[in-house]
Amino acid sequence: MGDRGGGAMREGGEGRAGEDHGTRGPCPECGLAGAAAGQLVCRGCYVPFALMTAPPKAAPLKLPGITRRDAPGRALRLVFPDGAAVVEPGGRIRLGRDPQQCPDVRFLVGRDNLSRVHASVGVDPDGSAWITDEGSTNGTFVRGTRITAGERVALRPGDALRLAADVTARVES
């Protein structure tokens, strides 16, 4: 049975859209190897094989074996009126008035309406940012909506964040 690239596939060989091979070589876009016969898009970067241009036979393209999922994400920056906090990919910080438990935001110490540990903010290794309310008394608000304690809510650059009634922050990347 032929694939949409044209022709039956044979085991082995470097493949390009439209050639006869059982598996394709590495994806020219992301470097992921081993596309199966009949697979129309790369499972690493989701680019259709038919749209890719393969390297010339004489000089095969060697790409590192990383995909977008492996690439380091971007740090998240929370800008408060009194200071800023940065969360690196794979990291997490606590927001609150207790300087022992929330050392990254010591500028929030005088805010009596904040809980000792009010919320946590993290950035996954892929760059996905999030916030969780830690059971605060006066609430955590993202884009104007109060979030439920323990709920993990996505953060995006440009989002407005509010802790309690008056502690605001802008999300930047």
Side-chain angles (χ1 to χ4, degrees):
M1 186 65 134
D3 74 337
R4 293 196 184 190
M9 298 286 227
R10 274 184 263 123
E11 197 64 37
E14 292 284 311
R16 290 196 294 260
E19 282 194 1
D20 259 353
H21 300 291
T23 59
R24 298 180 194 273
C27 171
E29 293 293 317
C30 71
L32 187 67
Q39 188 173 327
L40 301 176
V41 298
C42 172
R43 70 181 191 278
C45 65
Y46 302 107
V47 173
F49 288 120
L51 297 179
M52 296 182 192
T53 58
K57 261 307 202 203
L61 182 61
K62 292 255 186 190
L63 294 175
I66 62 170
T67 65
R68 287 180 291 173
R69 286 184 214 110
D70 299 325
R74 298 177 73 181
L76 180 77
R77 183 174 156 92
L78 298 174
V79 181
F80 293 88
D82 302 334
V86 176
V87 186
E88 296 294 332
R92 184 187 118 183
I93 65 168
R94 292 178 177 166
L95 305 176
R97 64 181 161 88
D98 185 333
Q100 302 293 339
Q101 296 183 61
C102 309
D104 297 301
V105 290
R106 291 184 187 276
F107 52 86
L108 296 177
V109 169
R111 303 298 188 127
D112 291 336
N113 57 345
L114 292 185
S115 296
R116 284 187 203 97
V117 177
H118 197 95
S120 293
V121 176
V123 178
D124 292 334
D126 69 355
S128 303
W130 50 269
I131 187 167
T132 300
D133 183 276
E134 297 292 344
S136 68
T137 302
N138 295 320
T140 301
F141 301 80
V142 178
R143 298 180 291 278
T145 303
R146 185 173 184 160
I147 64 174
T148 306
E151 177 185 11
R152 191 171 173 170
V153 176
L155 290 176
R156 297 180 300 266
D159 280 350
L161 176 63
R162 181 166 52 95
L163 308 176
D166 61 353
V167 179
T168 60
R170 185 177 67 251
V171 178
E172 298 179 351
S173 63

